[in-house]
Amino acid sequence: MNRLTSDPHVGVCPDFTLDFYRTSRVPLVALNNTEAAAAALLQAVWVTTNAAQRIQWQDQVAADNVLAVENQRLLDEETDRQLQAQRLADATIDEEEQKKNRLKHIPIPKRPHPSRANENILISDFALRKLEKGHYVEIYYWTNKGIADARLVYRATDDEGMVPNKTADGATTWIPASATQPSTTVVPDCNLEALDFAQAIPRLVASLTERGWGHDRVHMLAGFWGALMLHRYWSSDDPLDRRALLMYQEEQRRAWHQAIPLPGGAWDISIIDDAEISRTLDRLYREDRRRKDHDFDYQVSLTFPVSMFT
């Protein structure tokens, strides 16, 4: 069906009795119709045709409206898709920018200069990066001595002391050179003093939370350290007892970190293994006994040279 180009509703039936339409009447008059009858037939045909065209026009307008709505919907969807794609591209660019120039994008809160008490809590960049990666790191960095060491390194570091670093997604970021180097004065956990250990744990737990560790893991480690400081060996008069707890803590925590990515996974480290603590104490006792025996034999050799008995 041909498409209508004008609204048939506005059309007016012609007066077919006029001389202008004589040519149109001739074929009908030739069929034994009068001029008036021929005009009436032409008028009836026009009215019938106009009625049909009005229905066609209404259907055509309705179809055009449906098509217009669908085209607008597709246009809106395409516009929204392009907008989302642009936003994603902008977000990706912003994320890359923040990774490459992290220091420019760290939010700075509106607050006065920190007090000297707060200034003292400055943790080594190296320790914090190990913490962010979920790796084992010595508790020393959270002791008073470790914090003092970090402050000395921080004061000696300038903006030129930066090195490139590859992130997990392959992007390159710039980090302080100190963040890639352990402290030269770091003390193994097993050799920490009980007071240093007790002072460091609350700071370490706070750092774990700040660095995005899951609540369950933070709670588990806090329970682990708390259980050790409540153990009967912790308040013992024998220093070997406390050292056994610190040795157990170091060995268990190292093994726990190493087991996390393995197929078998890690365990609830807060569950204390008293049998393992006893084995650790026995091992330390035998090592201490051998060292004392060796020292005694050495002193005897100095006091009584072998030549005296030959």
Side-chain angles (χ1 to χ4, degrees):
M1 184 179 295
N2 293 333
R3 181 177 177 81
L4 299 178
T5 59
S6 61
D7 186 357
H9 290 79
V10 299
V12 179
C13 182
D15 184 359
F16 289 104
T17 61
L18 298 176
D19 289 341
F20 179 79
Y21 296 101
R22 181 182 298 276
T23 304
S24 299
R25 294 194 301 269
V26 168
L28 296 176
V29 171
L31 297 174
N32 296 323
N33 291 305
T34 63
E35 289 285 340
L41 287 172
L42 289 173
Q43 181 179 2
V45 172
W46 186 94
V47 170
T48 302
T49 302
N50 182 261
Q53 289 179 338
R54 289 189 180 195
I55 295 174
Q56 180 184 346
W57 179 262
Q58 291 173 351
D59 293 342
Q60 182 176 298
V61 169
D64 288 348
N65 289 338
V66 171
L67 182 60
V69 170
E70 178 63 14
N71 288 339
Q72 185 62 45
R73 183 185 68 80
L74 295 175
L75 179 61
D76 292 342
E77 288 183 353
E78 179 61 19
T79 301
D80 184 65
R81 187 193 65 78
Q82 293 180 1
L83 181 61
Q84 293 296 334
Q86 186 60 47
R87 287 176 178 172
L88 179 61
D90 292 343
T92 302
I93 293 174
D94 290 343
E95 184 178 355
E96 291 298 324
E97 164 65 17
Q98 291 184 18
K99 288 180 180 179
K100 292 178 181 178
N101 301 286
R102 185 177 63 87
L103 296 180
K104 289 169 52 180
H105 301 280
I106 295 177
I108 300 178
K110 292 184 178 180
R111 64 182 181 185
H113 188 280
S115 66
R116 293 192 62 82
N118 289 332
E119 285 180 347
N120 290 336
I121 310 301
L122 180 64
I123 309 301
S124 160
D125 288 333
F126 171 80
L128 293 179
R129 281 187 56 77
K130 296 273 281 187
L131 214 60
E132 287 178 346
K133 294 180 178 180
H135 295 172
Y136 173 88
V137 60
E138 291 82 359
I139 295 175
Y140 163 83
Y141 292 101
W142 284 266
T143 66
N144 290 345
K145 295 176 182 177
I147 293 171
D149 180 41
R151 191 180 306 112
L152 290 174
V153 173
Y154 177 77
R155 289 174 179 172
T157 302
D158 56 28
D159 291 339
E160 295 180 354
M162 306 288 284
V163 295
N165 175 68
K166 287 285 188 181
T167 61
D169 58 3
T172 300
T173 60
W174 291 87
I175 61 174
S178 59
T180 63
Q181 302 170 351
S183 171
T184 57
T185 59
V186 65
V187 176
D189 288 1
C190 63
N191 292 335
L192 288 174
E193 296 294 333
L195 179 60
D196 290 334
F197 182 88
Q199 289 175 335
I201 292 305
R203 299 166 182 163
L204 177 51
V205 170
S207 292
L208 289 171
T209 302
E210 292 169 0
R211 296 291 156 167
W213 279 52
H215 174 75
D216 56 338
R217 292 193 182 184
V218 175
H219 183 75
M220 188 183 297
L221 285 170
F224 172 58
W225 291 317
L228 291 178
M229 287 187 283
L230 291 175
H231 196 278
R232 66 184 184 279
Y233 285 177
W234 191 261
S235 56
S236 171
D237 292 333
D238 188 342
L240 274 183
D241 289 344
R242 276 193 303 276
R243 187 153 183 265
L245 289 177
L246 292 172
M247 179 67 77
Y248 169 83
Q249 184 277 153
E250 177 179 335
E251 293 176 348
Q252 289 295 306
R253 196 158 60 90
R254 283 185 184 276
W256 183 76
H257 276 280
Q258 292 171 356
I260 289 175
L262 298 180
W267 58 91
D268 187 349
I269 196 173
S270 65
I271 301 175
I272 301 301
D273 187 347
D274 279 307
E276 183 62 28
I277 292 176
S278 296
R279 286 191 289 269
T280 303
L281 176 60
D282 181 65
R283 173 159 46 92
L284 290 177
Y285 175 79
R286 285 185 279 106
E287 290 176 355
D288 183 66
R289 186 70 268 166
R290 282 195 297 269
R291 183 173 60 256
K292 288 180 178 179
D293 289 345
H294 176 77
D295 291 344
F296 177 78
D297 291 342
Y298 178 72
Q299 291 298 327
V300 169
S301 67
L302 293 179
T303 305
F304 304 101
V306 175
S307 59
M308 293 179 59
F309 302 96
T310 60

